[in-house]
């Protein structure tokens, strides 16, 4: 029931849910362990989160969890639209520090699978955005990490002027030359 696309960064996938429509409306699948197992996502979902972002231009991110609490995330926009960005932080990866960007919206019925070892963030492209996140690991404050959303080295071109960023996200640091990546078991 998913149309799965492999992206240019190893283990990054986007997928679109196929709608089943009739005179009542539609039905679509948000998660299917069998289909995700087929692309190597075998860890069970441990946590599901739902976020609401009030204001267009707001940025959330760039977040990650360090080992041993690294996680696969599956994200979908339920209301509104976002500009989603992930950064490969995996030590030794051929796409280390490269980014993948995708627009997700309520009308696209699309999701992104973010592997372990990636930083993630997004910008709300509309007011009143709602997101759902499936996580393969429980949240661990001690393993929480982040990169400043406007790190000059990463040079992310956010599509809208930035209007709101949390104090926590503003406290993140830029990547330094000493950063060699996160050691992630593949």
């Amino acid at each position: 029931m998913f149309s799965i696309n492999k992206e240019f960064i190893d283990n990054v996938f986007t997928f679109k849910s196929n709608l089943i429509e009739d005179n009542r409306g539609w039905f679509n699948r948000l998660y299917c362990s069998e289909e995700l197992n087929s692309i190597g996502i075998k860890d069970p979902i441990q946590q599901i989160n739902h976020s609401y972002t009030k204001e267009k231009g707001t940025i959330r991110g760039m977040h990650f969890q360090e080992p041993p609490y690294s996680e696969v995330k599956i994200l979908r926009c339920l209301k509104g639209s976002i500009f989603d960005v992930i950064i490969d932080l995996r030590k030794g990866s051929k796409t280390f520090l490269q980014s993948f960007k995708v627009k997700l919206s309520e009308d696209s019925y699309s999701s992104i699978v973010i592997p372990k070892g990636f930083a993630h963030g997004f910008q709300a492209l509309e007011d009143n955005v709602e997101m759902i996140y499936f996580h393969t690991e429980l949240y661990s404050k001690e393993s929480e990490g982040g990169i400043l959303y406007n790190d000059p080295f990463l040079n992310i071109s956010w599509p809208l002027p930035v209007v709101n960023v949390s104090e926590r996200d503003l406290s993140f640091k830029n990547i330094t030359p000493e950063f060699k990546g996160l050691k992630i078991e593949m």
Side-chain angles (χ1 to χ4, degrees), residues 2-19:
F2 294 142
S3 301
I4 300 174
N5 298 308
K6 184 173 181 9
E7 302 301 342
F8 78 94
I9 295 179
D10 283 343
N11 300 320
V12 173
F13 296 88
T14 55
F15 63 87
K16 180 177 172 98
S17 296
N18 299 316
L19 297 182

Side-chain angles (χ1 to χ4, degrees), residues 16-52:
K16 180 177 172 98
S17 296
N18 299 316
L19 297 182
I20 299 171
E21 297 182 79
D22 63 21
N23 63 336
R24 299 169 296 170
W26 55 261
F27 169 88
N28 85 74
R29 185 175 286 168
L30 291 176
Y31 173 83
C32 176
S33 62
E34 184 176 301
E35 289 187 70
L36 293 171
N37 282 340
S38 75
I39 60 171
I41 309 301
K42 301 197 185 308
D43 295 341
I45 297 300
Q46 299 291 332
Q47 189 169 303
I48 300 172
N49 296 315
H50 182 196
S51 72
Y52 167 72

Side-chain angles (χ1 to χ4, degrees), residues 23-173:
N23 63 336
R24 299 169 296 170
W26 55 261
F27 169 88
N28 85 74
R29 185 175 286 168
L30 291 176
Y31 173 83
C32 176
S33 62
E34 184 176 301
E35 289 187 70
L36 293 171
N37 282 340
S38 75
I39 60 171
I41 309 301
K42 301 197 185 308
D43 295 341
I45 297 300
Q46 299 291 332
Q47 189 169 303
I48 300 172
N49 296 315
H50 182 196
S51 72
Y52 167 72
T53 304
K54 278 194 299 194
E55 193 173 6
K56 175 180 174 178
T58 297
I59 290 181
R60 291 180 179 256
M62 302 293 295
H63 307 140
F64 62 91
Q65 285 201 159
E66 296 185 25
Y69 293 98
S70 298
E71 61 188 348
V72 174
K73 290 185 203 177
I74 302 167
L75 281 93
R76 178 146 172 203
C77 185
L78 298 176
K79 183 177 179 196
S81 61
I82 65 162
F83 177 76
D84 201 75
V85 179
I86 62 173
I87 307 292
D88 187 350
L89 302 179
R90 299 172 298 179
K91 182 177 185 171
S93 168
K94 65 183 179 196
T95 53
F96 180 61
L97 296 181
Q98 290 186 31
S99 64
F100 176 76
K101 302 164 186 87
V102 65
K103 180 182 175 186
L104 299 176
S105 72
E106 66 182 293
D107 299 328
S108 72
Y109 306 104
S110 294
S111 300
I112 183 170
V113 177
I114 304 169
K116 295 176 182 181
F118 279 71
H120 168 258
F122 70 86
Q123 184 175 48
L125 298 176
E126 302 175 36
D127 290 340
N128 304 313
V129 167
E130 291 188 45
M131 299 289 297
I132 190 166
Y133 305 72
F134 297 81
H135 301 261
T136 61
E137 188 59 65
L138 297 174
Y139 170 73
S140 169
K141 185 166 180 55
E142 297 76 32
S143 296
E144 175 181 70
I147 301 167
L148 199 56
Y149 78 94
N150 60 355
D151 183 322
F153 180 77
L154 297 176
N155 195 29
I156 300 168
S157 295
W158 299 100
L160 300 175
V162 177
V163 298
N164 193 5
V165 180
S166 74
E167 286 186 35
R168 180 185 118 208
D169 291 356
L170 288 172
S171 74
F172 295 145
K173 306 293 183 217

